[in-house]
Every structure is written in C-alpha cells, then in structure tokens.
Amino acid sequence: MTSLFIVTSAIHTDYGECVTKDRIEQTRETLESIKTHAPDSSVVIIDGGNKSVDNDMFDCEVINYANHEEIQYHLHEFLTTCDDINPGIIAKAILEIMKIEEYLKNMTGSYERIFKISGRYKLNSKFNYSTHLEAKDKVVILQPRLSDCIYRSDVKATMMQYMTRCWSFDSSLLSEIIQTFGKMKKDVLYASKTRKQADIEHLLYKHLKKKIVKTIGVMGVEGYWAPAGVLIKE
C-alpha cells in the first residue's frame, strides 16, 4: 500500500491575502514537493473555494466542494448572519473541517498512511517520511503550542493548539479521525451560530485522543504565511 496526501485548498476565494494566480503556483509547488520527499504517494486536492477548480489545472485528482449542499448551506448561513469583523476565521474552519470529514467518510482505495497538507505549503529537506511510516497506529503531528489568540469563545476550551499545516495518521485510525472531525464540526457550527470563535488548530487539540498521538519537533514543511508575509518553517 502507498500513502495518500490530502491537499486542502481554496484556489478561488474571497478570503486570505493571496491572489488566485499565486495560489495555483504555490499549490503546484506543494505537489512537486510531495513527489520529491514522499515518492510514489497518491495525491488528491480537496478544494473549498467559491468556484470549482478545473480538473486539468493540476496533475492529480481534484475534488471540488464549491457546490456541496451541506457545506455551502452552513457557510452561507454564517456569512449572511454574522457580524464578526474577521469572518474568515470561522469560514475557513467550516470549510476545512467539513470537507476533510466529508472526504474521509467517502474515501476509496487502501493506503498505509494518510497525510493532510495545506495547499500553498510544501515539504522540505527536513521532512522525514520514515518517521511517519514507522508510527503504527499513531497520529504524527507537531508538538502542541500555547494559543496565540484570544477568542471570545467557550468553544475553544483549551489554551493549546496543534499546528495543522502538515500531519498524518495511520490508516488503522481512519474511523477515529472521522469521529474526531465530526466532533470538531459540531463545535465549529455551534460557534458560527453563537458569535463565538473556533478554528481547526484548537479544535483538533481539544478532540484528538492524546494516547494515539506521536508528537515531533520538526515536521519539515514551509510556506509563506500570507497575513504577515513571512516564511514559516515547521
């Protein structure tokens, strides 16, 4: 069995700092880095932008959620009723959590290891593929960090967060990860209706069972964090 890399993206979006052309180029760099550092892996892009991505834009499978009825219903409901000065935080969390859960619930094929990597970030020479493959029955993710946000929220319920730009889990944990994202979905939808805040980083830390987690100090992933225009290396 091979590994599967799930690349989360929003190529066409009204949120964020990057223009579409840059998002496309950065996502292509993501795909090239996977070929270099995790050869023979399968790759799928799951896109949550506001319009569908052409299937021939990238050299891998692309699944569009621009017209997914449930996801778009909750996103539209939030955007038309919220008075948040920064609605992109919740909008991004709704899209990412729901599309990951939806993809995993309907995933076909057998894989030894399943990775999630954010489009626009890429693996670098510090990425240790073997560390992930050898972590049987474990999630591999960066060590948790103290929250760098103050939210008007009782949803977060933790001052810790996992950095989610790249992480992986053994295929034996598929059902557990689907259940985890189901709980995260419930929380983020509650937040979207109650003027609270939540994001994927804090919710993953809140709900992921610590006994199945193997943390590491360096993931070997890098990319530009658009809000500050700085290069992030983890």
Side-chain angles (χ1 to χ4, degrees):
M1 290 189 291
T2 62
S3 295
L4 172 68
F5 277 78
I6 301 171
V7 180
T8 56
S9 72
I11 298 298
H12 305 286
T13 181
D14 297 327
Y15 301 102
E17 306 294 329
C18 293
V19 298
T20 298
K21 179 176 68 68
D22 291 342
R23 290 175 181 273
I24 293 171
E25 183 57 36
Q26 290 164 350
T27 301
R28 286 174 176 157
E29 291 179 1
T30 302
L31 302 182
E32 284 301 314
S33 75
I34 294 170
K35 291 179 183 178
T36 300
H37 298 289
D40 301 321
S41 296
S42 297
V43 182
V44 60
I45 293 174
I46 58 173
D47 191 86
N50 52 26
K51 76 173 185 177
S52 294
V53 176
D54 293 337
N55 289 327
D56 59 355
M57 185 175 290
F58 302 104
D59 60 351
C60 67
E61 182 183 9
V62 178
I63 299 180
N64 289 291
Y65 290 91
N67 298 313
H68 187 280
E69 186 173 337
E70 182 187 10
I71 294 175
Q72 295 306 320
Y73 168 80
H74 288 296
L75 183 63
H76 177 75
E77 184 179 45
F78 167 66
L79 293 176
T80 54
T81 59
C82 80
D83 57 2
D84 198 317
I85 60 173
N86 188 9
I89 294 174
I90 285 286
K92 179 180 182 294
I94 291 172
L95 284 168
E96 186 152 8
I97 290 169
M98 291 189 68
K99 70 185 180 183
I100 290 174
E101 184 204 29
E102 185 68 17
Y103 178 77
L104 293 178
K105 283 164 58 177
N106 295 283
M107 190 177 71
T108 59
S110 297
Y111 303 97
E112 180 179 3
R113 192 96 195 158
I114 300 168
F115 291 77
K116 179 272 177 185
I117 183 169
S118 299
R120 302 177 41 246
Y121 288 86
K122 59 186 178 182
L123 304 177
N124 61 31
S125 60
K126 293 187 177 181
F127 177 78
N128 189 329
Y129 192 30
S130 296
T131 296
H132 295 265
L133 297 181
E134 293 168 2
K136 303 300 182 184
D137 302 319
K138 293 288 185 180
V139 172
V140 175
I141 198 164
L142 281 171
Q143 295 168 352
R145 300 180 184 178
L146 187 65
S147 176
D148 53 4
C149 300
I150 300 176
Y151 289 144
R152 42 191 182 90
S153 171
D154 57 7
V155 176
K156 183 176 62 170
T158 173
M159 287 301 295
M160 302 301 291
Q161 60 182 326
Y162 282 132
M163 295 295 98
T164 61
R165 294 180 178 95
C166 183
W167 56 283
S168 75
F169 61 92
D170 188 273
S171 60
S172 65
L173 298 174
L174 179 58
S175 294
E176 180 66 37
I177 299 301
I178 291 171
Q179 292 176 29
T180 299
F181 271 80
K183 295 173 184 176
M184 293 164 64
K185 170 184 168 181
K186 181 178 179 180
D187 272 3
V188 78
L189 292 181
Y190 169 76
S192 74
K193 295 174 174 63
T194 54
R195 301 181 67 185
K196 305 296 183 181
Q197 279 285 20
D199 60 30
I200 189 170
E201 290 84 2
H202 293 91
L203 291 179
L204 187 61
Y205 183 85
K206 175 183 176 182
H207 290 294
L208 191 60
K209 292 179 180 177
K210 305 305 179 287
K211 67 180 181 180
I212 63 171
V213 174
K214 171 184 172 68
T215 60
I216 57 177
V218 176
M219 183 60 65
V221 65
E222 65 181 63
Y224 280 93
W225 186 50
V230 296
L231 180 65
I232 299 290
K233 290 187 177 183
E234 296 179 330

